[in-house]
Amino acid sequence: MKIPPVKGTRDFYPPEMARRNWIIDGWKSVSIRNGFEEYDGPIFEYLKMYQVKSGDEIVEQLFSLQDRGGRDLAIRPEITPTLARMVNQQINALPRPIKWFSVPRLCRAERPQKGRLREFFQWNIDIIGIDSPEADAEVIFTSLDYLRRVGLTAADVRAKISSRRLLASVLRGLGIDEGGLDAMYALLDKKAKLPADTFDALLAEQVPDKGQAARISDFMALDSIDEIQRVVALDDEIRAAIEQMQNVFATLELMGVADYCVFDPTIVRGLAYYTGVVFEIHDIVGELRAICGGGRYDNLLRDFGGPAIPATGMGMGDCVLEILLHQKGLLDSQVPPRRLEFFVACADGALAKAMYAVAARLRACGRSANFSYKLGGLSKQLKEASAQNAGRCIIIGQEYLDKQELIVKDMASGEQTQIHVDRFLSELGTT
């Protein structure tokens, strides 16, 4: 009986594994060069931890289970709650700012579709303990730093930046009651995903006053922070939120990524815990889901039983990223092919023991080495060395029996040299 893979998951054969490693290695190197430290947590947590953050409806969106002790657990659909739990456990011992990153394997029980699977990898970066626009800007910059590294330009992707604080201030200034803000966030977050007439109808249901609804639509259509005063009178709270956003954009300009960034009030982010700057990075064409998204979440650690500490962060999944890189021809062109340093061959089956010994000594020197199990003719072994993309082939023949000497063949140039095995390995250890 043939058993297929579970829908929404992926098999990683060696070529796919090479692409995955290339993406993840890039995430890690960019994180480290931007001053972040790596962490990780368990693949499952108590279910109630996700219910605290997202409510009971989250149960339908994740894989939950009971252990043998009857405890309700869940496979992690995200790592931010784990981060909050870990930081809260050692909050008084951790130096601030806390700049951490992680690349967890996550699972979500949802309908698989383009760019969205049940199992995926996600790059998370977070800065905890700093309440400043510069921290928000650094999260956005680090995200763009990686995308620049893999060859995506400002003609390919755009960071769309807004602010929950600004949106809340504007909505209050337009007469929306505090109790209605969460419902407005949920609706406005859907604006880019809905036909214009559908959104207008839903907005009219929620905001019966046509003048109010029109001004909300006008605000959502703005493309410049400087134009906000055309839509709503500026009070102290709106001015403070505008100043915060202006500082974010000024910092991004100083860091050299301003050409990637735009103000876009339609970026709301669906999760309720965001409190300040929010952003998403999209492909310019707009065919794909967001490549990444995030923002400021100053209350989350408090919600998990810790103190109120400012925090900001983002998550970037591998699924949409891989699709975009493939579309742009940036994936296979950059993923390095398999590279074997040495293939050890023997001219005669009687020399197999020497072949194994030399291969083991090469490996002990920290070099990659392989050999053939079939021990066919030398020409077949050389073909196998070429198929494995070996840089050099070590040929063990009569010279090894007579004088302990190896034939070293450069597979690119075809040049051969003869050298004593001890001298070769000794010189190898110094290079």
Side-chain angles (χ1 to χ4, degrees):
M1 178 180 67
K2 290 187 176 180
I3 301 176
V6 176
K7 188 176 182 181
T9 65
R10 292 168 289 176
D11 293 321
F12 292 94
Y13 291 90
E16 289 78 23
M17 193 69 196
R19 296 186 191 102
R20 173 180 136 188
N21 285 337
W22 177 77
I23 288 172
I24 291 177
D25 289 346
W27 284 343
K28 291 185 176 185
S29 66
V30 167
S31 299
I32 292 168
R33 80 182 184 193
N34 281 280
F36 292 83
E37 296 180 283
E38 188 171 12
Y39 76 98
D40 200 357
I43 198 169
F44 51 84
E45 296 270 11
Y46 286 108
L47 175 61
K48 63 183 178 183
M49 192 165 78
Y50 302 107
Q51 292 171 308
V52 166
K53 174 177 170 289
S54 303
D56 291 337
E57 66 275 7
I58 191 67
V59 177
E60 298 178 1
Q61 302 169 20
L62 47 71
F63 292 99
S64 58
L65 64 145
Q66 273 197 348
D67 67 6
R68 293 177 181 177
R71 290 171 285 264
D72 292 319
L73 308 176
I75 299 175
R76 60 188 182 190
E78 58 176 315
I79 203 167
T80 306
T82 298
L83 170 68
R85 176 181 60 73
M86 290 173 62
V87 171
N88 280 342
Q89 285 177 185
Q90 299 188 15
I91 190 63
N92 295 321
L94 294 171
R96 299 184 196 176
I98 299 165
K99 291 182 65 176
W100 286 2
F101 81 93
S102 187
V103 185
R105 192 176 202 144
L106 305 175
C107 293
R108 292 178 183 166
E110 56 187 357
R111 182 173 62 87
Q113 49 194 295
K114 184 176 181 181
R116 199 171 185 92
L117 300 176
R118 287 175 164 182
E119 182 189 46
F120 57 98
F121 293 86
Q122 183 169 288
W123 175 35
N124 290 79
I125 59 173
D126 295 271
I127 302 175
I128 298 173
I130 296 294
D131 182 14
S132 75
E134 290 75 21
D136 297 304
E138 184 161 30
V139 168
I140 299 169
F141 169 80
T142 304
S143 309
L144 292 169
D145 191 25
Y146 170 77
L147 296 175
R148 288 193 308 182
R149 179 184 184 274
V150 297
L152 293 167
T153 69
D156 300 314
V157 295
R158 183 75 76 241
K160 300 178 179 182
I161 308 168
S162 188
S163 166
R164 276 287 187 88
R165 179 185 179 187
L166 175 62
L167 177 59
S169 301
V170 168
L171 290 175
R172 283 193 290 263
L174 294 175
I176 303 298
D177 292 336
E178 190 74 30
L181 290 181
D182 286 344
M184 285 300 303
Y185 295 154
L187 174 60
L188 298 179
D189 185 53
K190 298 175 183 176
K191 186 177 188 301
K193 309 176 185 72
L194 296 173
D197 55 346
T198 303
F199 173 78
D200 290 341
L202 292 172
L203 180 61
E205 287 180 15
Q206 202 156 308
V207 185
D209 186 295
K210 292 183 180 180
Q212 268 186 329
R215 293 170 75 188
I216 291 172
S217 292
D218 289 344
F219 172 74
M220 298 299 285
L222 295 179
D223 57 11
S224 171
I225 300 172
D226 298 333
E227 296 178 354
I228 293 174
Q229 59 186 352
R230 290 198 298 104
V231 176
V232 62
L234 302 186
D235 58 22
D236 289 344
E237 180 60 28
I238 295 176
R239 287 193 180 91
I242 289 174
E243 182 180 1
Q244 184 181 60
M245 286 289 291
Q246 289 172 331
N247 288 337
V248 169
F249 278 98
T251 303
L252 290 168
E253 184 170 7
L254 290 171
M255 300 178 91
V257 292
D259 55 336
Y260 284 85
C261 303
V262 295
F263 170 66
D264 187 340
T266 66
I267 301 302
V268 179
R269 304 290 289 162
L271 296 174
Y273 64 72
Y274 287 114
T275 59
V277 171
V278 288
F279 77 98
E280 292 178 358
I281 300 179
H282 290 258
D283 65 295
I284 290 288
V285 178
E287 293 180 345
L288 304 174
R289 293 175 174 273
I291 302 166
C292 75
R296 179 161 289 279
Y297 54 96
D298 288 343
N299 298 326
L300 187 63
L301 272 72
R302 184 193 62 193
D303 293 343
F304 280 93
I309 297 177
T312 184
M314 79 88 195
M316 179 185 294
D318 68 317
C319 299
V320 174
L321 174 65
E322 186 169 334
I323 292 171
L324 180 60
L325 291 174
H326 179 74
Q327 289 178 350
K328 297 293 181 179
L330 296 170
L331 191 58
D332 291 333
S333 64
Q334 297 188 81
V335 177
R338 178 193 181 189
R339 183 70 175 175
L340 182 69
E341 291 179 275
F342 295 100
F343 188 93
V344 186
C346 59
D348 189 291
L351 297 167
K353 290 182 179 179
M355 178 184 72
Y356 302 143
V358 170
R361 292 180 70 182
L362 285 165
R363 292 166 179 173
C365 289
R367 304 306 178 103
S368 59
N370 209 356
F371 49 79
S372 174
Y373 295 107
K374 295 181 179 179
L375 293 180
L378 184 57
S379 61
K380 287 186 177 180
Q381 293 178 68
L382 289 171
K383 287 181 180 178
E384 193 170 347
S386 180
Q388 295 187 24
N389 199 25
R392 286 182 279 182
C393 185
I394 307 297
I395 302 171
I396 299 177
Q398 190 62 38
E399 302 85 2
Y400 187 81
L401 290 177
D402 295 341
K403 299 180 289 184
Q404 289 281 290
E405 290 184 343
L406 308 172
I407 303 295
V408 182
K409 179 182 177 70
D410 187 296
M411 296 298 291
S413 66
E415 294 181 2
Q416 296 186 176
T417 57
Q418 190 168 323
I419 185 171
H420 192 279
V421 61
D422 291 335
R423 179 183 170 192
F424 177 71
L425 292 171
S426 175
E427 292 178 356
L428 199 64
T430 62
T431 58

